């Protein structure tokens, strides 16, 4: 059995594995992993803005990312993993 080149494998998957009317980019955007990535990126950008305002200059994405990971990421992730509390009657 001959192996397919990566590009051929991708084309085969896209032609057989994707529902009609959608494409791979749509599937990625709808994935829960991608949504989590986008939500985390949004939090980092908020942190960058706040810390840049405090510093009086743009601190840059890498510094904001590192600072946010150290100070906030674990708590943020835990808060997103908790099931919503039941509503009171």
């Amino acid at each position: 059995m001959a192996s397919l080149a990566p590009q051929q494998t991708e084309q085969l998957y896209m032609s057989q594995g994707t529902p009609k009317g959608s494409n791979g980019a749509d599937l990625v955007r709808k994935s829960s992993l991608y949504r989590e990535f986008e939500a985390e990126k949004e939090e980092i950008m908020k942190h960058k803005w706040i810390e840049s305002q405090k510093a009086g200059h743009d601190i840059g994405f890498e510094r904001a990312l590192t600072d946010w990971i150290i100070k906030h990421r674990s708590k943020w992730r835990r808060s997103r993993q908790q099931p919503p509390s039941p509503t009171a009657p």
Side-chain angles (χ1 to χ4, degrees):
M1 182 173 169
S3 64
L4 297 172
Q7 185 178 15
Q8 292 170 322
T9 304
E10 182 179 347
Q11 289 171 349
L12 180 63
Y13 171 76
M14 294 305 290
S15 66
Q16 293 179 351
T18 307
K20 283 191 171 198
S22 67
N23 61 34
D26 289 339
L27 293 175
V28 169
R29 279 189 222 102
K30 292 177 183 176
S31 76
S32 60
L33 181 63
Y34 185 77
R35 287 193 310 266
E36 282 299 302
F37 164 76
E38 284 292 323
E40 189 169 299
K41 186 174 83 171
E42 186 176 329
E43 290 298 313
I44 295 163
M45 294 307 289
K46 287 178 191 175
H47 183 71
K48 178 181 178 286
W49 184 83
I50 291 167
E51 294 303 314
S52 293
Q53 291 295 310
K54 288 179 187 176
H57 60 87
D58 186 353
I59 64 167
F61 183 79
E62 288 185 26
R63 181 173 167 197
L65 170 65
T66 304
D67 191 56
W68 185 81
I69 287 171
I70 292 168
K71 295 179 179 176
H72 306 290
R73 186 183 208 185
S74 59
K75 184 177 179 184
W76 180 82
R77 281 189 166 178
R78 280 193 306 270
S79 73
R80 291 184 61 88
Q81 291 173 351
Q82 293 176 350
S85 57
T87 56

